[in-house]
Every structure is written in C-alpha cells, then in structure tokens.
Amino acid sequence: MSETILVIGANGQIGTELVNALRGVYGTERVIASDINNPTYAIRYSGPFEFVNVLDKDNLHHIFQKYQPTQVYQLAAILSAVGEQKPRMAWDLNMTGLIHVLDFAVEFGVKKVFWPSSIAVFGPHSPQYNTPQYCVMDPNTVYGFSKLAGERWCEYYNRKHGLDVRSLRYPGLIGWRANPGGGTTDYAVHIFHEALKNGRYESFLSANTALPMMYMDDAIRATLTLMDAPAQQICIRSSYNLGGISFTPAQLADEIKKHLPDFEISYAGDDPRQAIADSWPKSIDDSQAQTDWGWQLEFDLPKMTADMLENLKTVI
Ligand code: AKB
C-alpha cells in the first residue's frame, strides 16, 4: 500500500528539510505539506500544500478526512525563547495541537505518527554531562515542560490506543536551507550567516556555554531511520535521546576561523536565553537509540562547519 504523509508545520526549520526528504523517498504527490502560514518558496513549488491550524479541530479533521494519511508528522510548535515571551500560547499550541493530532490519528487509523521532543525536557537538576535517557527531569521553560508532557501523552496513546507514535529529543539543529525560529540554540545558525555576510557575530550566549547540537542532515536521517524501523524495535514511546555534537560558541567560532581567518566573535551578555541554555544538558547519552534502531552520527564539528559554509554561501 502506498503511503500518504501529512506534515504539519512544514514551513519551519525541520519541516522545510523533512518535506523535501520525504518527497524524495515517497514521491512528491504523496507528501502533503501544511502550515498555518503561507508556504515558503521551497515548499510551495515542490508539491501539494494545505493551510492547517492544528488548534482548529474542524480544519484539522477536514484535512485528515480529505487525505486519509498513513503517516503524520506534527511539527508545529513554539520554541524555547519565544515560549518564554508567550507562555500560554506556547502551552496551547505545543500541547493541544499534539493532542488533536493524536486523537485524529487514532480516529483515522493512521499507521505512524512522528512528534519532535527536545533536550529542553531536561532541567537544572538533570545530570549535565552525558545526560541519560532516564533521570531527574525538571524543565523550567514552558517549551521544556510542554515537551515533557507531550512525551507522556505520546507514550499514553501508544499504551492505551496502540498508536505507533515515535519521537526524538532533538538537540539544537543547524542547517543552511531554513532558519530556526525562536530557540535558544539559534545562535549556532545565525553565526554562519553573519560570518559569511559581515565577517563578525555577536553571540547572545556566553563563550563557554556548551550545548548539544546536530547538523540537519543527521537530524533528518535520524528521523527517517526511526520512522522506518520495525515497530518492535522501538522500545521507547516517549522520546529517544539524540546526542549530536557538543560545543560552545567559542569552539564554533574557532572552527569557522579555520575557513574564514578574519572572522570575529563577540559576546553580548545579559540575554534571557543564557538562563535557558544554562538549565540544559551540555552533552547527551543516546546509546538507547544506537542499540534499538542503529543510530550513528555522521557529522562532527569540523565536517558540519565545512559543509554548512560551503552550502550557505551558494544561497545567501
Ligand atoms: C530551542 O532552542 O528552543 C530548540 C530546541 C533545543 O529544542 N532548538
């Protein structure tokens, strides 16, 4: 049976790349991109698009009825930094949006659902280094605790309704095709744009703030590999830790300087995103993903930096 895949929140940083990757695998017409906003250029001209507001049950129900999707990727969310400015809105979108999708997935017999979680589910009392899959979790951002609650809902729907829902705790994601929108890890994308355009960057995080990050190619491959794995291999139905590469703004700047020797970095200080970053892990243990469905990272810091600069300079 051929797949019909609905991607909700397709305009975002992950959606833009995922829609095109899925269209490469399943065929353009089989992947319905959807978003509350006008489609981005990359999405508009590459295949079918629908306007969808995940908070509007009638609108969402109509889309499920129209396409009868076999797989759904629910990516619509408000990220950590914007979430602190709009806490109620972040909670509503991140939580109610997910529950609407899980409900309709059960009603329409969707075969598989993907939902992204984040390293933001961890908090100040979680172990900071090599953070394990299971440990103390006391996220103190609305984004973080909406993701943690969302993980619980995913596991609950799997247990109560047999829904095949799968999820990853993404680290900060770095890609050249789409910009991030409102996260704490966004500096690691902006720095590349500014390095190429202006030769300098003022980081909103301090020089030694280590965070787990991942190149988008690895993140998309992880997502497709998880979704392709046989159901019996998916032992975790909340969300899998995904480690990536851990580095600080200073270390990233040093790596960029190997390609652009005149690049300069400075540090703004006094930014509310610093407190968020300080509450998150510095590195993540993703051994469970390696064991269960064969996860292997491909891009380390030098490889990612070289690839990012080479591709970004062709589009900016
Ligand atoms: C953010 O910074 O909010 C996101 C994330 C780590 O989930 N990139």
Side-chain angles (χ1 to χ4, degrees), residues 190-218:
H190 296 154
I191 192 172
F192 285 99
H193 287 257
E194 292 306 309
L196 287 169
K197 280 193 284 199
N198 302 319
R200 60 181 61 226
Y201 179 66
E202 186 176 76
S203 170
F204 57 78
L205 294 184
S206 66
N208 296 322
T209 307
L211 284 172
M213 303 277 185
M214 183 175 279
Y215 198 41
M216 195 55 94
D217 295 42
D218 271 334

Side-chain angles (χ1 to χ4, degrees), residues 41-116:
Y41 185 85
I43 297 290
R44 184 194 297 268
Y45 296 105
S46 70
F49 178 86
E50 290 278 355
F51 283 99
V52 166
N53 175 359
V54 268
L55 296 180
D56 180 341
K57 270 191 117 165
D58 293 339
N59 167 227
L60 191 62
H61 194 266
H62 166 73
I63 297 295
F64 271 74
Q65 207 150 37
K66 180 171 172 187
Y67 290 101
Q68 305 283 329
T70 55
Q71 293 185 34
V72 177
Y73 290 72
Q74 153 50 358
L75 309 177
I78 290 182
L79 299 188
S80 57
V82 173
E84 293 309 286
Q85 289 153 14
K86 301 174 182 169
R88 287 300 298 265
M89 195 192 279
W91 177 257
D92 281 349
L93 175 61
N94 297 358
M95 210 63 332
T96 311
L98 170 64
I99 292 171
H100 285 170
V101 170
L102 294 174
D103 276 342
F104 291 149
V106 171
E107 182 181 333
F108 287 88
V110 172
K111 284 197 305 189
K112 285 183 222 172
V113 175
F114 178 82
W115 175 78

Side-chain angles (χ1 to χ4, degrees), residues 14 17-18 114 168 170-174 213-226 242 293 295-299:
I14 303 172
E17 306 240 10
L18 193 59
F114 178 82
L168 295 170
Y170 289 122
L173 299 180
I174 302 170
M213 303 277 185
M214 183 175 279
Y215 198 41
M216 195 55 94
D217 295 42
D218 271 334
I220 298 296
R221 197 169 45 79
T223 310
L224 298 182
T225 308
L226 173 75
L242 203 57
W293 42 276
W295 169 240
Q296 282 302 322
L297 189 76
E298 275 184 11
F299 284 82

Side-chain angles (χ1 to χ4, degrees), residues 141-157:
T141 62
V142 177
Y143 174 68
F145 56 76
S146 71
K147 287 293 179 188
L148 184 54
E151 289 188 3
R152 301 285 89 222
W153 278 112
C154 288
E155 193 186 277
Y156 184 84
Y157 271 71

Side-chain angles (χ1 to χ4, degrees), residues 13 79-81 117-120 143 170-173 182-186 280:
Q13 190 193 14
L79 299 188
S80 57
S117 186
S118 162
I119 55 158
Y143 174 68
Y170 289 122
L173 299 180
T184 302
T185 59
D186 293 11
W280 287 353

